[in-house]
Amino acid sequence: MKFRVNKWILLGLLMLIPVAAPAQKTKHSLFGKKKTVATTGPVAKKGKKQKDGEKVKEKQKKAYEKARKKEVKRRFNMQTKETQARMKQTKKEANQFNKGKQDSFFVKLFSGKGKKKKKHKKPKKNKS
């Protein structure tokens, strides 16, 4: 019971943090008065060369991914049929394992799934 109460207190404190955070940044001046500074300001526009550079990088990234997929497919087709079947099965198992059906943070927090089990001590033998 005590452990569950502590979880509720922790959850309450975590929910209060975003509420307590100020909406604007404050900065102290020399005389101790607070000045508010806007968090959002004018956004600097990107130049034409910068935009062109980003487009080139995107094209290179797409070309790389396309070439990579083509190479993976080529290497897969080189294998025998039995090996291809094993590769498919292994890939399927890896995807299932990596995807997983993970519980959310709150489910893990409030259920007893993530706890370590306490080991029971063995009773001492009396020498009589």
Side-chain angles (χ1 to χ4, degrees):
M1 183 68 186
K2 184 179 179 183
F3 191 68
R4 290 216 182 263
V5 173
N6 289 341
K7 286 181 182 179
W8 285 107
I9 292 171
L10 178 65
L11 180 64
L13 290 174
L14 287 174
M15 293 178 110
L16 285 176
I17 290 172
V19 175
Q24 293 181 340
K25 293 182 182 178
T26 57
K27 199 172 190 179
H28 294 284
S29 68
L30 293 175
F31 302 107
K33 295 181 182 178
K34 291 184 179 179
K35 292 181 180 178
T36 57
V37 180
T39 55
T40 58
V43 179
K45 294 184 179 180
K46 296 179 182 178
K48 187 175 181 180
K49 288 185 179 181
Q50 200 172 13
K51 288 180 185 178
D52 291 341
E54 288 176 359
K55 286 181 184 178
V56 169
K57 284 183 181 179
E58 283 296 318
K59 284 182 182 179
Q60 286 176 345
K61 192 181 279 188
K62 286 181 183 179
Y64 169 77
E65 284 299 320
K66 188 176 179 182
R68 185 182 165 278
K69 285 182 182 179
K70 187 176 179 181
E71 182 63 20
V72 168
K73 190 172 183 179
R74 185 183 74 84
R75 289 183 183 188
F76 179 81
N77 290 331
M78 281 183 190
Q79 308 300 324
T80 62
K81 296 295 178 188
E82 298 85 23
T83 307
Q84 287 180 5
R86 277 198 318 266
M87 289 171 75
K88 281 184 183 179
Q89 183 64 27
T90 304
K91 186 176 181 180
K92 183 178 176 183
E93 289 172 3
N95 287 339
Q96 286 177 347
F97 179 78
N98 291 332
K99 182 181 176 185
K101 293 183 179 178
Q102 296 179 352
D103 294 332
S104 69
F105 171 76
F106 293 107
V107 171
K108 287 180 187 176
L109 182 67
F110 293 113
S111 69
K113 289 183 180 178
K115 295 180 189 175
K116 291 184 179 179
K117 293 184 180 179
K118 293 182 181 179
K119 293 183 180 179
H120 295 288
K121 293 182 180 179
K122 293 182 181 178
K124 293 182 181 179
K125 294 181 181 178
N126 293 333
K127 294 182 182 178
S128 299

